Amino acid sequence: MSQNLHRPRLLPLALSVTLTGALLAGCSTSPTGRSQLMVVTPDQAITESKSAYVSTVGELGTEGKLVTDSKTLNRIKTITGRLVTEAVAKFPKTANWSWSVAVIDDAETLNAWCMAGGRMAIYTGIIDKLDLTDDEIAQIMGHEISHALANHTAEQMSRAVLINAGLQATAAATENNQYALSGTALAAKYALQLPNSRTAETEADRIGIELAARAGYNPAAAVSLWEKMKKAAGGSTPEFMSTHPSPSNRSKTLGKLGTEMLALNPTLKKAAVYPVTMVTSTSQLQ
């Protein structure tokens, strides 16, 4: 299984930033208070993500892989809509995001993602092969939404830009185009293929499990989800785990967080469903 299967491509912006721009990098602060080095601003990441989403999901739509089954769509829409209600309550500026989900008909791919700006996808493989409960789907989508809320897309793109800028400068100084070509490939790999950092994963775990609990989904499902994921991995690496490193103590940490988060909504009262767009055709991507 390709580790880059249907991964959105965000290269154009990364390749357009020069070393001068990289040296003018700014700083941002994540929702957990961590300092983030930013070459690519969150707004730029949202703009690039929109283009990448249109391209990636458009291609999948042309291949006939966008799910239109009303039962599946309503299930994902309800779960995700409740999570987004809590995301907007915690981060009011995201009310202007283009919250949307494409359910991808791909029985072999165990994956889900959320891009900057709230554009999401989840694959039927991860739902069906892991026999996910609603609570477990909420943990996946809450985690992915949290990557967007914490500006992790912009952060990853920024790292890729800095690496590429350095290699472009080397290419110019040595008049060796090999460096420039390597920079292009390396920027792509760092931005899209390598795992999220442990720090980013920890942030997304904490924000995501809180969103799910506030939305009315049992935080204990975070533990059962990762147990299912580890079992499914076997001798291979599912797409989701290729970009979401799982330290051995992750389940234990999530278990402790779950107890804390359950106190925020002890009765697991369900949140209102935010109007999330379900993408079922390429015409919705304009």
Side-chain angles (χ1 to χ4, degrees):
M1 181 185 298
S2 170
Q3 286 197 341
N4 199 33
L5 184 64
H6 297 145
R7 298 293 295 176
R9 301 172 182 85
L10 302 177
L11 279 180
L13 178 63
L15 299 181
S16 71
V17 178
T18 64
L19 181 58
T20 299
L23 293 174
L24 296 176
C27 288
S28 182
T29 302
S30 76
T32 62
R34 176 176 61 89
S35 179
Q36 297 170 295
L37 180 65
M38 294 289 193
V39 174
V40 178
T41 68
D43 285 345
Q44 287 174 319
I46 289 173
T47 298
E48 288 298 307
S49 292
K50 178 181 179 180
S51 298
Y53 192 78
V54 169
S55 174
T56 302
V57 178
E59 182 180 335
L60 290 165
T62 301
E63 295 172 1
K65 290 185 175 294
L66 296 180
V67 171
T68 58
D69 173 65
S70 60
K71 183 177 179 180
T72 300
L73 293 176
N74 287 335
R75 184 187 186 197
I76 300 301
K77 183 175 184 177
T78 298
I79 296 168
T80 307
R82 287 173 176 153
L83 293 167
V84 173
T85 291
E86 297 304 320
V88 171
K90 192 174 181 67
F91 303 92
K93 289 183 179 179
T94 64
N96 296 321
W97 283 10
S98 299
W99 293 105
S100 55
V101 186
V103 182
I104 311 304
D105 184 11
D106 187 334
E108 298 305 314
T109 299
L110 278 65
N111 200 21
W113 39 264
C114 178
M115 304 177 74
R119 297 174 176 86
M120 296 170 265
I122 184 169
Y123 294 70
T124 56
I126 200 168
I127 299 170
D128 297 336
K129 281 200 170 187
L130 300 188
D131 191 22
L132 296 181
T133 65
D134 287 2
D135 293 300
E136 289 167 341
I137 291 174
Q139 298 302 324
I140 287 179
M141 300 308 284
H143 180 94
E144 293 306 307
I145 287 169
S146 297
H147 278 305
L149 295 175
N151 294 324
H152 291 161
T153 303
E155 194 172 17
Q156 281 189 311
M157 290 175 69
S158 294
R159 288 199 299 270
V161 165
L162 289 168
I163 291 167
N164 186 69
L167 289 171
Q168 291 286 357
T170 301
T174 61
E175 297 183 355
N176 187 339
N177 287 333
Q178 257 191 325
Y179 285 104
L181 292 173
S182 296
T184 299
L186 195 58
K189 190 172 184 179
Y190 268 74
L192 302 176
Q193 295 179 15
L194 294 184
N196 292 289
S197 70
R198 292 283 176 89
T199 301
E201 285 300 296
T202 298
E203 288 181 340
D205 278 348
R206 183 170 189 86
I207 299 168
I209 199 171
E210 178 178 343
L211 290 179
R214 291 186 183 279
Y217 294 99
N218 195 333
V223 177
S224 62
L225 167 65
W226 279 98
E227 291 301 319
K228 286 183 177 182
M229 197 73 71
K230 285 191 291 185
K231 184 177 180 180
S236 61
T237 302
E239 175 77 1
F240 189 82
M241 291 185 74
S242 73
T243 52
H244 294 74
S246 181
S248 59
N249 64 346
R250 192 169 198 167
S251 293
K252 184 178 180 180
T253 301
L254 286 168
K256 291 180 179 178
L257 277 175
T259 301
E260 178 184 340
M261 297 307 165
L262 185 59
L264 300 174
N265 186 5
T267 64
L268 295 176
K269 180 182 178 181
K270 294 295 190 290
V273 179
Y274 197 87
V276 173
T277 299
M278 301 304 295
V279 181
T280 57
S281 70
T282 56
S283 64
Q284 294 173 277
L285 298 172
Q286 304 302 318

